[in-house]
Amino acid sequence: QVQLVESGGGLVQAGGSLRLSCAASGSLFNDYDMGWFRQAPGKERELVAKVFIDRTAIYSDSVEGRFTISRDNVKNTVTLEMDNLKPEDTALYYCNFRSPTWGDLDEYWGQGTQVTVSS
């Protein structure tokens, strides 16, 4: 049974930084694209950033230039460095592992970690 465990959320003032980490427990038998999503109250879950197996990364327009995603394929971890945080970044952040081959048939979600940015 694979579980994703996130850490690093918290309360920070606008302009501050946070670092989110996500680690997989259990055995992963495939390669996965890794990403971070977020969901603010009353809004749909949205993609924040994703790093593919080949380490290329994509970002949402709202975080481009402020957030950096990285992965460690040996440790099966994904990290999101968040700089120059804004109040609109406040949300529950989820990490995601998704097989590019099997899609939602082989996909895992973390339980979420809260990020709150005060103005």
Side-chain angles (χ1 to χ4, degrees), residues 43 45 59 70 88 96 104:
K43 295 187 177 181
R45 188 175 299 189
Y59 298 89
S70 60
E88 52 263 42
N96 171 264
D104 55 8

Side-chain angles (χ1 to χ4, degrees), residues 1-5 23-29 74-76 97 108:
Q1 183 77 15
V2 174
Q3 290 186 321
L4 302 185
V5 180
S25 64
S27 299
L28 296 176
F29 296 103
V74 175
K75 297 180 180 179
N76 287 322
F97 284 21
Y108 302 95

Side-chain angles (χ1 to χ4, degrees), residues 6-12 17-21 36 80 82 85 91-93 111-116:
E6 298 123 336
S7 60
L11 173 64
V12 65
S17 299
L18 283 174
R19 184 174 186 265
L20 304 184
S21 296
W36 287 93
L80 186 68
M82 305 185 295
L85 282 159
L92 193 58
Y93 284 69
Q111 80 285 355
T113 186
Q114 180 67 39
V115 171
T116 303

Side-chain angles (χ1 to χ4, degrees), residues 12-55:
V12 65
Q13 288 188 330
S17 299
L18 283 174
R19 184 174 186 265
L20 304 184
S21 296
C22 175
S25 64
S27 299
L28 296 176
F29 296 103
N30 296 308
D31 293 326
Y32 294 86
D33 298 326
M34 301 178 182
W36 287 93
F37 290 72
R38 67 186 181 187
Q39 188 167 19
K43 295 187 177 181
E44 294 186 353
R45 188 175 299 189
E46 64 175 356
L47 173 68
V48 176
K50 177 176 281 191
V51 57
F52 298 96
I53 292 170
D54 64 1
R55 298 185 184 275

